[in-house]
Amino acid sequence: MIRTDVLIIGGGPAGLGAAIETTNRGLKTLLVEENPIYGGQLIKQTHKFFGSHSHFAGTRGIYIQDELLKEIKKEHFSMLPGHSAVGIYDDGVIGIYDSKKNRFKKVSAKKVIVATGASEKTIPFKNNDLPGIYGAGGVQTLMNVYGVLPGKKILMIGAGNIGLIVSYQLIQAGADVVGIVEALPKAGGYDVHLAKIRRMGVPVFFKHTIVEAFGQDSVEGALIVQIDNKWKHLNGTQMQLECDTICLAVGLTPSSEILMQTGIKMTFSPSLGGYVPVHNEFMQTSSPDYFVGGDAAGIGEATSAIIEGRLAGISASDSLGKEKNAEKAYKEHVDYIEKLRDGNTGIKVKKGKYELWNKPWDTSMETFEKKDNTIKIPKGRTKAYVSIECYEDIPCNPCEISCHFKAITVGPNITDLPMLALEKCTGCMSCLAQCPGLAIFGINKNLAPGRTGITIPYELLPLPEKGDPVWGADRDGKIICSARVEAVRKNKNKTHLITISVENEYAENVRHFYPGASGDVLICRCLDITADEINDAIDRGYTDFEELKRYLRVTTGPCQGRGCRQLIMNMIRAKTGEDVSSHSTGTPRPPESALPFSAFTKGGGK
Amino acid sequence: MRIAKHPILDFKKQKRIPFYYNGEKIFGMTGDTIASALHDNGIMVYRVTDKSRKRGFFCAIGKCSSCMMKVDGIPNIKTCVTELKAGMHIECQKGKGSYK
Ligand SMILES: Cc1cc2nc3c(=O)[nH]c(=O)nc-3n(C[C@H](O)[C@H](O)[C@H](O)COP(=O)(O)OP(=O)(O)OC[C@H]3O[C@@H](n4cnc5c(N)ncnc54)[C@H](O)[C@@H]3O)c2cc1C
Ligand code: FES
């Protein structure tokens, strides 16, 4: 029997958060984590987190677990990776399974904190068990942990944050997302996540659902259909899409089955994602021995999972007499979590929790005054500036912190929109690389006469190089003009800044680019002579066909000018404006097409 | 298919290790699970159920049991959370699996 003061089940952000509090109060703490790697969902999250800068916002998920681990007091801590808690028995003993050694072990703990996270929901459709259909978490694990691409052409089901983020990650890993299917008329995920994948040209099929998957041994395609607001399929709108992978991102549900074995009170809460253990504001369940935190206590996000975990840790310590000023210890965390859940995006969870706590709910809490953060750019502005395209009250403030000139203000309510003081913005573009939503762009109207520089935060490969020709795309990913890469600023955090230039009239709309083909326009194929070489020669004064022929040797190859004569004449006309019909087009000489010399010797001619 | 280059992640270079799938020798990498190695080799069907439905992996974190295969003669091994070891014999599992 392993004996400990506190057992924490689950090594995600909530479990690690709890361990910080219990170990720092001198409690002997054991953490069991089913996976060989700790970190829970964090280990797959390559994107920068939202929330407050003081709580890891702007840091990529994959680095957060190490930051948390640093705060845990090691002398009171032991961790068993590859161990799952498989049962809590009537006598309070917890059974754990060591998957590596294939051995069952027993733990006796004074307090248990359950931070087991969530499991993914699925939806019914024909052949939904076909290989190639994966949960979004499965796709993330395969590509971001093991480095294996799930497929080449992916159909995503669900436009919540997970569907949108995983789509983006798939594109980063080199896959093609053929579309996102969403039953609702709008995306459930953050606007900025949607904007990010839209400008990369991923089509989003709103008010659609998947009907069937087809394929022999694995997915070869899917049939989707439009639905009305009663979810009825609308005939005639069926559409077949070719894909080799279908990724389901249709929601998470709390995974606290193990707590059900203890007989604690459970409740069903749609706002929290399903069955959750009844718990108070400080994460104690209906039993004084069990605590819960993170997604297991209601689907939320990682920042609130850390805080809930910490609260659970403080509560457990308090119940063991290890916290002298619990009130004060709780307050900081409770206040922050309240702030996180302000704004339209967090209110659902807040409401679910208030119901659980029997806290009075005032419907006025559901309406938020949204500031207007659009700004007018004065005509005479020549200095570069940033365009902050963040119009939703999500909890996030790294932009404010990143600005050295205090030109961006979010303020104490981190769900407030960022406001730009244009007069203070120097156009330094530091904020672009810090914004987790990649929603800030740099605008420089003074780049070159007639051209605007647009700086885009970019996290794809390959990185372009200065001078590369590219295609400018609008917010829907549609190509609208040609563009040129003017600067590539590499950043340590791997959000690089690419400045492209476009003609002024496209400046308001270009927010993405696709690599253009590098290479030349060939005019004379026989002798490898390019349009640039010919134009250059014309500019230097060789404005007559005969001159060009002598200078560049165009039309003297084996095809005798069949391919290029006309093109060259057109080029001279275009450059000089001259009527070239009177120009000599050279004298073609026999043989009219290439013959072997032996043909002449054998033929006996002279 | 392995991700060769990633804009954010650096995948450490791993050693190639041999293993057997239905008797045929193929290769995975150190650090792979059985499932990730099979997927990289283009093998998607991990078992065939009693009702003849083909199954691959689904959740990749050991929760759904979709990925159970016969590993070194033992059936019902969750291959998505079982580390690949050199020389392992992996077989596509039929039905609920057997020791034969
Ligand atoms: C694609 C995606 C993107 C996201 N993006 C963001 C974001 O930008 N910002 C943000 O704040 N949040 C984000 N989240 C949400 C966030 O990751 C989760 O809310 C958070 O990880 C929940 O933490 P947790 O500790 O409760 O659970 P988890 O991180 O899921 O950890 C639970 C751990 O418990 C282990 N476990 C489960 N059962 C057992 C058992 N019986 N025995 C032992 N161990 C067990 C699991 O293996 C797991 O490691 C995202 C989630 C996803 C899926
Ligand atoms: S794929 Fe779900 S358990 Fe392995």
Side-chain angles (χ1 to χ4, degrees), chain A residues 528-552:
Chain A
D528 266 0
I529 296 166
T530 67
D532 283 350
E533 287 173 290
I534 294 173
N535 278 326
D536 181 56
I538 300 172
D539 286 344
R540 290 210 258 143
Y542 299 93
T543 51
D544 180 84
F545 184 83
E546 287 283 1
E547 287 170 4
L548 274 175
K549 179 176 171 183
R550 284 182 175 77
Y551 179 56
L552 289 174

PDB file of all heavy atoms in Angstrom, chain A residues 528-552:
ATOM      1  N   ASP A 528      16.308  28.982 -74.530  1.00  0.00           N
ATOM      2  CA  ASP A 528      16.119  29.359 -73.118  1.00  0.00           C
ATOM      3  C   ASP A 528      16.133  30.856 -72.902  1.00  0.00           C
ATOM      4  O   ASP A 528      16.763  31.341 -71.949  1.00  0.00           O
ATOM      5  CB  ASP A 528      17.267  28.772 -72.267  1.00  0.00           C
ATOM      6  CG  ASP A 528      16.893  27.433 -71.681  1.00  0.00           C
ATOM      7  OD1 ASP A 528      15.755  26.986 -71.945  1.00  0.00           O
ATOM      8  OD2 ASP A 528      17.732  26.850 -70.973  1.00  0.00           O
ATOM      9  N   ILE A 529      15.483  31.619 -73.744  1.00  0.00           N
ATOM     10  CA  ILE A 529      15.527  33.070 -73.553  1.00  0.00           C
ATOM     11  C   ILE A 529      14.208  33.546 -72.939  1.00  0.00           C
ATOM     12  O   ILE A 529      13.125  33.188 -73.391  1.00  0.00           O
ATOM     13  CB  ILE A 529      15.833  33.781 -74.881  1.00  0.00           C
ATOM     14  CG1 ILE A 529      17.253  33.345 -75.300  1.00  0.00           C
ATOM     15  CG2 ILE A 529      15.784  35.307 -74.711  1.00  0.00           C
ATOM     16  CD1 ILE A 529      17.594  33.662 -76.706  1.00  0.00           C
ATOM     17  N   THR A 530      14.358  34.327 -71.876  1.00  0.00           N
ATOM     18  CA  THR A 530      13.175  34.679 -71.078  1.00  0.00           C
ATOM     19  C   THR A 530      12.599  36.029 -71.490  1.00  0.00           C
ATOM     20  O   THR A 530      13.259  36.848 -72.134  1.00  0.00           O
ATOM     21  CB  THR A 530      13.546  34.772 -69.586  1.00  0.00           C
ATOM     22  OG1 THR A 530      14.432  35.884 -69.415  1.00  0.00           O
ATOM     23  CG2 THR A 530      14.225  33.514 -69.091  1.00  0.00           C
ATOM     24  N   ALA A 531      11.360  36.257 -71.047  1.00  0.00           N
ATOM     25  CA  ALA A 531      10.696  37.534 -71.318  1.00  0.00           C
ATOM     26  C   ALA A 531      11.496  38.680 -70.711  1.00  0.00           C
ATOM     27  O   ALA A 531      11.633  39.746 -71.319  1.00  0.00           O
ATOM     28  CB  ALA A 531       9.287  37.509 -70.743  1.00  0.00           C
ATOM     29  N   ASP A 532      12.035  38.442 -69.487  1.00  0.00           N
ATOM     30  CA  ASP A 532      12.812  39.506 -68.844  1.00  0.00           C
ATOM     31  C   ASP A 532      14.011  39.897 -69.692  1.00  0.00           C
ATOM     32  O   ASP A 532      14.328  41.080 -69.849  1.00  0.00           O
ATOM     33  CB  ASP A 532      13.302  39.047 -67.462  1.00  0.00           C
ATOM     34  CG  ASP A 532      12.186  39.099 -66.434  1.00  0.00           C
ATOM     35  OD1 ASP A 532      11.119  39.671 -66.762  1.00  0.00           O
ATOM     36  OD2 ASP A 532      12.376  38.559 -65.330  1.00  0.00           O
ATOM     37  N   GLU A 533      14.692  38.887 -70.248  1.00  0.00           N
ATOM     38  CA  GLU A 533      15.871  39.189 -71.064  1.00  0.00           C
ATOM     39  C   GLU A 533      15.477  39.992 -72.304  1.00  0.00           C
ATOM     40  O   GLU A 533      16.178  40.922 -72.714  1.00  0.00           O
ATOM     41  CB  GLU A 533      16.567  37.886 -71.490  1.00  0.00           C
ATOM     42  CG  GLU A 533      17.309  37.202 -70.355  1.00  0.00           C
ATOM     43  CD  GLU A 533      17.838  35.827 -70.759  1.00  0.00           C
ATOM     44  OE1 GLU A 533      17.017  34.908 -70.939  1.00  0.00           O
ATOM     45  OE2 GLU A 533      19.067  35.702 -70.903  1.00  0.00           O
ATOM     46  N   ILE A 534      14.366  39.619 -72.895  1.00  0.00           N
ATOM     47  CA  ILE A 534      13.936  40.323 -74.114  1.00  0.00           C
ATOM     48  C   ILE A 534      13.510  41.757 -73.779  1.00  0.00           C
ATOM     49  O   ILE A 534      13.937  42.726 -74.421  1.00  0.00           O
ATOM     50  CB  ILE A 534      12.800  39.543 -74.813  1.00  0.00           C
ATOM     51  CG1 ILE A 534      13.358  38.199 -75.312  1.00  0.00           C
ATOM     52  CG2 ILE A 534      12.198  40.359 -75.969  1.00  0.00           C
ATOM     53  CD1 ILE A 534      12.332  37.253 -75.875  1.00  0.00           C
ATOM     54  N   ASN A 535      12.700  41.892 -72.707  1.00  0.00           N
ATOM     55  CA  ASN A 535      12.274  43.240 -72.314  1.00  0.00           C
ATOM     56  C   ASN A 535      13.468  44.120 -71.984  1.00  0.00           C
ATOM     57  O   ASN A 535      13.504  45.305 -72.327  1.00  0.00           O
ATOM     58  CB  ASN A 535      11.333  43.161 -71.110  1.00  0.00           C
ATOM     59  CG  ASN A 535       9.913  42.839 -71.553  1.00  0.00           C
ATOM     60  OD1 ASN A 535       9.475  43.260 -72.637  1.00  0.00           O
ATOM     61  ND2 ASN A 535       9.211  42.071 -70.746  1.00  0.00           N
ATOM     62  N   ASP A 536      14.423  43.496 -71.312  1.00  0.00           N
ATOM     63  CA  ASP A 536      15.620  44.241 -70.941  1.00  0.00           C
ATOM     64  C   ASP A 536      16.361  44.719 -72.196  1.00  0.00           C
ATOM     65  O   ASP A 536      16.799  45.874 -72.292  1.00  0.00           O
ATOM     66  CB  ASP A 536      16.504  43.300 -70.099  1.00  0.00           C
ATOM     67  CG  ASP A 536      17.767  43.987 -69.648  1.00  0.00           C
ATOM     68  OD1 ASP A 536      17.622  45.038 -69.000  1.00  0.00           O
ATOM     69  OD2 ASP A 536      18.875  43.479 -69.940  1.00  0.00           O
ATOM     70  N   ALA A 537      16.456  43.833 -73.189  1.00  0.00           N
ATOM     71  CA  ALA A 537      17.138  44.192 -74.436  1.00  0.00           C
ATOM     72  C   ALA A 537      16.388  45.310 -75.160  1.00  0.00           C
ATOM     73  O   ALA A 537      17.000  46.259 -75.672  1.00  0.00           O
ATOM     74  CB  ALA A 537      17.261  42.959 -75.325  1.00  0.00           C
ATOM     75  N   ILE A 538      15.056  45.215 -75.158  1.00  0.00           N
ATOM     76  CA  ILE A 538      14.273  46.270 -75.822  1.00  0.00           C
ATOM     77  C   ILE A 538      14.531  47.605 -75.111  1.00  0.00           C
ATOM     78  O   ILE A 538      14.763  48.639 -75.739  1.00  0.00           O
ATOM     79  CB  ILE A 538      12.767  45.927 -75.836  1.00  0.00           C
ATOM     80  CG1 ILE A 538      12.518  44.614 -76.588  1.00  0.00           C
ATOM     81  CG2 ILE A 538      11.962  47.064 -76.489  1.00  0.00           C
ATOM     82  CD1 ILE A 538      11.101  44.081 -76.501  1.00  0.00           C
ATOM     83  N   ASP A 539      14.526  47.545 -73.751  1.00  0.00           N
ATOM     84  CA  ASP A 539      14.788  48.770 -72.992  1.00  0.00           C
ATOM     85  C   ASP A 539      16.146  49.360 -73.331  1.00  0.00           C
ATOM     86  O   ASP A 539      16.353  50.566 -73.248  1.00  0.00           O
ATOM     87  CB  ASP A 539      14.750  48.484 -71.480  1.00  0.00           C
ATOM     88  CG  ASP A 539      13.325  48.282 -70.991  1.00  0.00           C
ATOM     89  OD1 ASP A 539      12.389  48.665 -71.732  1.00  0.00           O
ATOM     90  OD2 ASP A 539      13.148  47.726 -69.885  1.00  0.00           O
ATOM     91  N   ARG A 540      17.082  48.491 -73.664  1.00  0.00           N
ATOM     92  CA  ARG A 540      18.428  48.997 -73.954  1.00  0.00           C
ATOM     93  C   ARG A 540      18.574  49.460 -75.405  1.00  0.00           C
ATOM     94  O   ARG A 540      19.673  49.723 -75.870  1.00  0.00           O
ATOM     95  CB  ARG A 540      19.450  47.912 -73.644  1.00  0.00           C
ATOM     96  CG  ARG A 540      19.489  47.730 -72.128  1.00  0.00           C
ATOM     97  CD  ARG A 540      20.803  47.304 -71.636  1.00  0.00           C
ATOM     98  NE  ARG A 540      20.819  45.887 -71.346  1.00  0.00           N
ATOM     99  CZ  ARG A 540      21.848  45.112 -71.571  1.00  0.00           C
ATOM    100  NH1 ARG A 540      22.907  45.582 -72.193  1.00  0.00           N
ATOM    101  NH2 ARG A 540      21.811  43.866 -71.221  1.00  0.00           N
ATOM    102  N   GLY A 541      17.468  49.434 -76.115  1.00  0.00           N
ATOM    103  CA  GLY A 541      17.508  50.032 -77.445  1.00  0.00           C
ATOM    104  C   GLY A 541      17.451  49.050 -78.609  1.00  0.00           C
ATOM    105  O   GLY A 541      17.467  49.455 -79.767  1.00  0.00           O
ATOM    106  N   TYR A 542      17.391  47.785 -78.322  1.00  0.00           N
ATOM    107  CA  TYR A 542      17.254  46.810 -79.435  1.00  0.00           C
ATOM    108  C   TYR A 542      15.779  46.688 -79.765  1.00  0.00           C
ATOM    109  O   TYR A 542      15.102  45.757 -79.361  1.00  0.00           O
ATOM    110  CB  TYR A 542      17.837  45.453 -79.026  1.00  0.00           C
ATOM    111  CG  TYR A 542      19.307  45.505 -78.687  1.00  0.00           C
ATOM    112  CD1 TYR A 542      19.726  45.689 -77.375  1.00  0.00           C
ATOM    113  CD2 TYR A 542      20.263  45.374 -79.701  1.00  0.00           C
ATOM    114  CE1 TYR A 542      21.071  45.752 -77.062  1.00  0.00           C
ATOM    115  CE2 TYR A 542      21.618  45.432 -79.390  1.00  0.00           C
ATOM    116  CZ  TYR A 542      22.016  45.628 -78.072  1.00  0.00           C
ATOM    117  OH  TYR A 542      23.344  45.697 -77.767  1.00  0.00           O
ATOM    118  N   THR A 543      15.253  47.649 -80.462  1.00  0.00           N
ATOM    119  CA  THR A 543      13.806  47.743 -80.625  1.00  0.00           C
ATOM    120  C   THR A 543      13.336  47.208 -81.970  1.00  0.00           C
ATOM    121  O   THR A 543      12.189  47.397 -82.348  1.00  0.00           O
ATOM    122  CB  THR A 543      13.349  49.210 -80.494  1.00  0.00           C
ATOM    123  OG1 THR A 543      14.170  49.984 -81.377  1.00  0.00           O
ATOM    124  CG2 THR A 543      13.514  49.708 -79.077  1.00  0.00           C
ATOM    125  N   ASP A 544      14.189  46.544 -82.657  1.00  0.00           N
ATOM    126  CA  ASP A 544      13.845  46.040 -83.977  1.00  0.00           C
ATOM    127  C   ASP A 544      14.061  44.537 -83.955  1.00  0.00           C
ATOM    128  O   ASP A 544      14.986  44.041 -83.295  1.00  0.00           O
ATOM    129  CB  ASP A 544      14.793  46.729 -84.969  1.00  0.00           C
ATOM    130  CG  ASP A 544      14.517  46.262 -86.376  1.00  0.00           C
ATOM    131  OD1 ASP A 544      13.605  46.829 -87.002  1.00  0.00           O
ATOM    132  OD2 ASP A 544      15.203  45.302 -86.801  1.00  0.00           O
ATOM    133  N   PHE A 545      13.236  43.808 -84.667  1.00  0.00           N
ATOM    134  CA  PHE A 545      13.325  42.359 -84.602  1.00  0.00           C
ATOM    135  C   PHE A 545      14.697  41.840 -85.026  1.00  0.00           C
ATOM    136  O   PHE A 545      15.282  40.975 -84.373  1.00  0.00           O
ATOM    137  CB  PHE A 545      12.226  41.726 -85.463  1.00  0.00           C
ATOM    138  CG  PHE A 545      12.218  40.236 -85.343  1.00  0.00           C
ATOM    139  CD1 PHE A 545      11.579  39.614 -84.280  1.00  0.00           C
ATOM    140  CD2 PHE A 545      12.886  39.444 -86.264  1.00  0.00           C
ATOM    141  CE1 PHE A 545      11.605  38.246 -84.144  1.00  0.00           C
ATOM    142  CE2 PHE A 545      12.925  38.072 -86.134  1.00  0.00           C
ATOM    143  CZ  PHE A 545      12.267  37.472 -85.069  1.00  0.00           C
ATOM    144  N   GLU A 546      15.216  42.387 -86.124  1.00  0.00           N
ATOM    145  CA  GLU A 546      16.514  41.927 -86.628  1.00  0.00           C
ATOM    146  C   GLU A 546      17.616  42.156 -85.589  1.00  0.00           C
ATOM    147  O   GLU A 546      18.495  41.330 -85.394  1.00  0.00           O
ATOM    148  CB  GLU A 546      16.877  42.664 -87.926  1.00  0.00           C
ATOM    149  CG  GLU A 546      16.070  42.234 -89.152  1.00  0.00           C
ATOM    150  CD  GLU A 546      16.531  40.892 -89.728  1.00  0.00           C
ATOM    151  OE1 GLU A 546      17.460  40.285 -89.176  1.00  0.00           O
ATOM    152  OE2 GLU A 546      15.925  40.439 -90.724  1.00  0.00           O
ATOM    153  N   GLU A 547      17.523  43.308 -84.893  1.00  0.00           N
ATOM    154  CA  GLU A 547      18.533  43.602 -83.877  1.00  0.00           C
ATOM    155  C   GLU A 547      18.456  42.607 -82.723  1.00  0.00           C
ATOM    156  O   GLU A 547      19.464  42.084 -82.256  1.00  0.00           O
ATOM    157  CB  GLU A 547      18.303  45.011 -83.310  1.00  0.00           C
ATOM    158  CG  GLU A 547      18.677  46.117 -84.257  1.00  0.00           C
ATOM    159  CD  GLU A 547      18.192  47.480 -83.741  1.00  0.00           C
ATOM    160  OE1 GLU A 547      17.643  47.559 -82.613  1.00  0.00           O
ATOM    161  OE2 GLU A 547      18.349  48.451 -84.472  1.00  0.00           O
ATOM    162  N   LEU A 548      17.236  42.356 -82.306  1.00  0.00           N
ATOM    163  CA  LEU A 548      17.042  41.414 -81.198  1.00  0.00           C
ATOM    164  C   LEU A 548      17.572  40.033 -81.562  1.00  0.00           C
ATOM    165  O   LEU A 548      18.184  39.335 -80.773  1.00  0.00           O
ATOM    166  CB  LEU A 548      15.551  41.291 -80.855  1.00  0.00           C
ATOM    167  CG  LEU A 548      14.994  42.324 -79.890  1.00  0.00           C
ATOM    168  CD1 LEU A 548      13.486  42.123 -79.754  1.00  0.00           C
ATOM    169  CD2 LEU A 548      15.659  42.233 -78.527  1.00  0.00           C
ATOM    170  N   LYS A 549      17.318  39.666 -82.800  1.00  0.00           N
ATOM    171  CA  LYS A 549      17.745  38.352 -83.265  1.00  0.00           C
ATOM    172  C   LYS A 549      19.268  38.239 -83.205  1.00  0.00           C
ATOM    173  O   LYS A 549      19.816  37.257 -82.699  1.00  0.00           O
ATOM    174  CB  LYS A 549      17.241  38.151 -84.693  1.00  0.00           C
ATOM    175  CG  LYS A 549      17.640  36.824 -85.302  1.00  0.00           C
ATOM    176  CD  LYS A 549      17.022  36.669 -86.670  1.00  0.00           C
ATOM    177  CE  LYS A 549      17.588  35.454 -87.365  1.00  0.00           C
ATOM    178  NZ  LYS A 549      17.047  35.338 -88.729  1.00  0.00           N
ATOM    179  N   ARG A 550      19.932  39.304 -83.636  1.00  0.00           N
ATOM    180  CA  ARG A 550      21.392  39.253 -83.632  1.00  0.00           C
ATOM    181  C   ARG A 550      21.943  39.318 -82.209  1.00  0.00           C
ATOM    182  O   ARG A 550      22.928  38.681 -81.872  1.00  0.00           O
ATOM    183  CB  ARG A 550      21.955  40.388 -84.482  1.00  0.00           C
ATOM    184  CG  ARG A 550      21.803  40.055 -85.944  1.00  0.00           C
ATOM    185  CD  ARG A 550      22.362  41.058 -86.890  1.00  0.00           C
ATOM    186  NE  ARG A 550      22.235  40.530 -88.237  1.00  0.00           N
ATOM    187  CZ  ARG A 550      21.098  40.512 -88.936  1.00  0.00           C
ATOM    188  NH1 ARG A 550      19.995  41.020 -88.400  1.00  0.00           N
ATOM    189  NH2 ARG A 550      21.053  39.992 -90.140  1.00  0.00           N
ATOM    190  N   TYR A 551      21.255  40.124 -81.391  1.00  0.00           N
ATOM    191  CA  TYR A 551      21.761  40.336 -80.029  1.00  0.00           C
ATOM    192  C   TYR A 551      21.516  39.110 -79.139  1.00  0.00           C
ATOM    193  O   TYR A 551      22.402  38.631 -78.442  1.00  0.00           O
ATOM    194  CB  TYR A 551      21.092  41.585 -79.448  1.00  0.00           C
ATOM    195  CG  TYR A 551      21.506  41.893 -78.039  1.00  0.00           C
ATOM    196  CD1 TYR A 551      22.852  42.073 -77.701  1.00  0.00           C
ATOM    197  CD2 TYR A 551      20.557  42.030 -77.017  1.00  0.00           C
ATOM    198  CE1 TYR A 551      23.232  42.351 -76.404  1.00  0.00           C
ATOM    199  CE2 TYR A 551      20.925  42.313 -75.722  1.00  0.00           C
ATOM    200  CZ  TYR A 551      22.269  42.471 -75.423  1.00  0.00           C
ATOM    201  OH  TYR A 551      22.640  42.755 -74.134  1.00  0.00           O
ATOM    202  N   LEU A 552      20.297  38.609 -79.153  1.00  0.00           N
ATOM    203  CA  LEU A 552      19.956  37.515 -78.228  1.00  0.00           C
ATOM    204  C   LEU A 552      19.930  36.143 -78.913  1.00  0.00           C
ATOM    205  O   LEU A 552      19.831  35.125 -78.241  1.00  0.00           O
ATOM    206  CB  LEU A 552      18.568  37.764 -77.602  1.00  0.00           C
ATOM    207  CG  LEU A 552      18.449  38.899 -76.582  1.00  0.00           C
ATOM    208  CD1 LEU A 552      16.972  39.087 -76.193  1.00  0.00           C
ATOM    209  CD2 LEU A 552      19.259  38.604 -75.326  1.00  0.00           C
TER     210      LEU A 552
END
